Amino acid sequence: MVQGVGDLYQALADRTRRLILDELTERDGQTLFEICGRLATRHQVGSSRQAISQHLDVLEAAGLVVTRRQGRYKFHHLDTRPLRSITERWLGSESTEETP
């Protein structure tokens, strides 16, 4: 669950984390190995597996990524529910004021 909206903004502030979310949007349920490979080949991100794992931890703490273990593999899934707090803040309700 999201600790706060600040954690969400912090998670989204980093380019590599946004690329991870893009990759999970395109193909959900990837392992760390798969994510690292896609980042390296598609986006020329040369970060280590440990660095990508730390990015995934930040995304998970913000509630944007959930994990599922199956045997010795850990699969990462995108969860867009925390983004609702952002959209509802500014886009959630129609303006009741009349426009001239």
Side-chain angles (χ1 to χ4, degrees):
M1 201 57 161
V2 177
Q3 296 293 324
V5 176
D7 292 339
L8 189 56
Y9 286 116
Q10 181 181 359
L12 294 172
D14 185 86
R15 178 183 178 269
T16 300
R17 289 193 285 268
R18 291 191 308 271
L19 289 173
I20 291 169
L21 294 175
D22 289 343
E23 288 301 324
L24 290 175
T25 298
E26 188 171 312
R27 187 168 161 266
D28 203 24
Q30 295 183 61
T31 64
L32 174 61
F33 179 78
E34 292 170 313
I35 292 169
C36 290
R38 290 174 68 99
L39 290 174
T41 58
R42 299 179 81 197
H43 305 284
Q44 291 72 48
V45 174
S47 298
S48 67
R49 285 175 50 137
Q50 182 179 0
I52 299 302
S53 180
Q54 290 172 346
H55 284 301
L56 285 164
D57 289 343
V58 171
L59 292 168
E60 190 171 4
L64 292 167
V65 169
V66 293
T67 59
R68 169 182 55 87
R69 285 208 175 269
Q70 184 175 341
R72 45 181 259 191
Y73 297 102
K74 184 177 180 182
F75 296 91
H76 301 84
H77 298 274
L78 177 65
D79 186 354
T80 59
R81 289 179 291 180
L83 296 173
R84 291 183 190 146
S85 63
I86 294 173
T87 58
E88 289 173 357
R89 181 173 181 170
W90 290 289
L91 304 174
S93 62
E94 296 285 329
S95 178
T96 57
E97 298 178 24
E98 293 182 23
T99 50

